[in-house]
């Protein structure tokens, strides 16, 4: 009969998982067990604290639905999402850098022709966005799919407004034969992540703010190239140095230039990494 105690339980648990057939799953589970047990020992975790942690994670699950992903917010605000991105997107010099996906992406966004207004009625200062999509060797990437999404001037995404009849501030476009893209939208503004749930409570208790700097989301796909998920940030935005989800990368921060008529111009060229497949 096993005589389990605080000194031998970790090894016993590891042996219980030792026959996991999938090598990668075995590696992940073994490391997870060791780190979780090590964490509990390091902080001398009490039973009450562990019960509070379970309650916290339960509330994260309860508030998550098809419109709100609190687990992504939790991963983002702990820096884990950005760490995973950095680990898995170590691209050659010259490629556009990736950043966090975020919780507000929606599939099946409407298709737009180049030059169209993807804001589709979203409130904000008009902005014209243009640039190119090229490969690492400078070749234009024709027909690349570009998905864009952003908040409105109030700092809210369309999925946060259930009364809307159609999607706003998001759409899918395709580059022309020279790899160029251009569309109309609105100027990005800083906004807070949803902080009325358990993640917001965590931020408040740890004296952290919920704000993200102004940015426009991009996801670019093209045959023969790795998919790029990234943002383009406004250089004059607040919170660039304290993004709540740690997503800012220097190469993605650019000027949004005010024009004589009060509108803005954003120019950004993307460089994709060739895929190995």
């Amino acid at each position: 009969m096993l005589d389990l105690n605080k000194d031998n339980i970790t090894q016993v648990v590891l042996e219980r998982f030792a026959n996991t057939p999938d090598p990668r799953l075995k590696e992940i589970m073994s490391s997870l067990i060791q780190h979780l047990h090590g964490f509990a020992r390091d902080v001398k975790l009490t039973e009450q604290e562990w019960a509070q942690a379970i309650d916290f994670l339960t509330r994260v699950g309860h508030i998550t639905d098809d419109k709100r992903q609190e687990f992504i917010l939790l991963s983002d605000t702990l820096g884990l999402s950005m760490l995973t991105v950095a680990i898995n997107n170590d691209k050659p010099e010259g490629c556009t850098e990736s950043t966090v996906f975020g919780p507000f992406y929606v599939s099946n966004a409407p298709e737009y022709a180049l030059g169209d207004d993807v804001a589709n009625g979203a409130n904000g200062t008009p902005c014209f966005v243009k640039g190119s999509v090229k490969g690492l060797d400078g070749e234009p990437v024709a027909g690349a799919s570009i998905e864009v999404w952003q908040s409105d001037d109030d700092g809210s995404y369309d999925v946060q407004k259930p009364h809307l009849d159609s999607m706003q501030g998001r759409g899918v476009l395709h580059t022309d034969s020279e790899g160029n893209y251009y569309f109309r939208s609105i100027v990005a503004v800083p906004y807070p992540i949803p902080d009325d749930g358990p993640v917001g409570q965590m931020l408040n208790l740890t004296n952290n703010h919920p704000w993200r700097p102004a940015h426009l989301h991009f996801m670019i796909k093209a045959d023969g190239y790795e998919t790029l998920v990234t943002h383009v940030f406004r250089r004059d935005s607040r919170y660039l140095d304290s993004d709540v989800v740690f997503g800012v990368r220097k190469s993605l921060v650019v000027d949004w230039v005010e024009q004589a008529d009060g509108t803005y111009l954003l120019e950004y060229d993307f460089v994709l990494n060739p895929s190995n497949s």
Side-chain angles (χ1 to χ4, degrees):
M1 179 180 293
L2 290 173
D3 186 16
L4 294 177
N5 56 54
K6 65 181 182 180
D7 297 316
N8 66 13
I9 187 171
T10 302
Q11 187 57 42
V12 172
V13 175
L14 287 170
E15 290 171 359
R16 191 72 56 83
F17 285 81
N19 294 323
T20 302
D22 185 287
R24 178 59 175 165
L25 178 59
K26 179 180 177 181
E27 178 185 14
I28 291 172
M29 291 302 300
S30 297
S31 182
L32 177 64
I33 291 164
Q34 292 181 81
H35 281 81
L36 284 176
H37 285 222
F39 159 74
R41 288 190 177 91
D42 286 346
V43 302
K44 295 181 172 58
L45 192 66
T46 68
E47 293 173 86
Q48 181 182 4
E49 289 166 342
W50 184 231
Q52 290 174 330
I54 291 173
D55 175 70
F56 172 77
L57 293 173
T58 300
R59 289 186 286 116
V60 169
H62 284 166
I63 203 171
T64 297
D65 57 25
D66 61 340
K67 300 296 184 183
R68 175 170 180 160
Q69 235 302 349
E70 195 82 355
F71 274 109
I72 291 180
L73 286 180
L74 178 59
S75 175
D76 289 351
T77 55
L78 293 177
L80 184 57
S81 297
M82 191 59 209
L83 174 59
T84 305
V85 168
I87 290 171
N88 289 277
N89 290 274
D90 189 13
K91 303 178 187 299
E93 184 177 355
C95 289
T96 304
E97 293 187 292
S98 302
T99 190
V100 293
F101 196 59
F104 296 116
Y105 171 77
V106 174
S107 59
N108 300 316
E111 296 265 351
Y112 287 98
L114 292 175
D116 283 350
D117 183 8
V118 303
N120 192 31
N123 182 45
T125 302
C127 179
F128 190 73
V129 184
K130 68 176 183 177
S132 65
V133 178
K134 295 181 179 179
L136 189 56
D137 292 331
E139 72 279 10
V141 182
S145 168
I146 301 179
E147 293 194 57
V148 297
W149 63 102
Q150 68 175 111
S151 73
D152 63 13
D153 209 39
D154 298 324
S156 297
Y157 286 79
D158 53 359
V159 293
Q160 296 175 281
K161 297 183 174 183
H163 63 278
L164 292 177
D165 295 328
S166 60
M167 294 184 185
Q168 292 184 337
R170 69 177 71 240
V172 182
L173 308 102
H174 292 85
T175 56
D176 65 18
S177 60
E178 298 299 318
N180 297 313
Y181 73 91
Y182 48 94
F183 61 91
R184 290 176 291 139
S185 189
I186 54 176
V187 174
V189 299
Y191 66 84
I193 64 170
D195 61 351
D196 57 340
V199 170
Q201 294 169 4
M202 179 196 70
L203 292 174
N204 183 57
L205 288 170
T206 56
N207 197 30
N208 283 291
H209 69 70
W211 286 86
R212 297 217 63 203
H215 62 273
L216 178 58
H217 292 264
F218 286 85
M219 180 164 65
I220 304 176
K221 299 179 180 180
D223 291 341
Y225 298 90
E226 295 178 358
T227 295
L228 172 66
V229 176
T230 195
H231 308 354
V232 176
F233 295 89
R234 277 181 62 186
R235 194 185 307 279
D236 60 352
S237 178
R238 292 183 65 187
Y239 311 111
L240 286 173
D241 292 323
S242 61
D243 180 11
V244 66
V245 306
F246 307 94
V248 178
R249 310 187 86 161
K250 185 177 181 180
S251 66
L252 304 175
V253 179
V254 298
D255 295 312
W256 299 47
V257 182
E258 186 173 6
Q259 306 298 291
D261 61 359
T263 65
Y264 280 74
L265 173 65
L266 167 61
E267 297 183 85
Y268 197 85
D269 296 330
F270 296 94
V271 179
L272 304 184
N273 191 33
S275 62
N276 294 323
S277 57

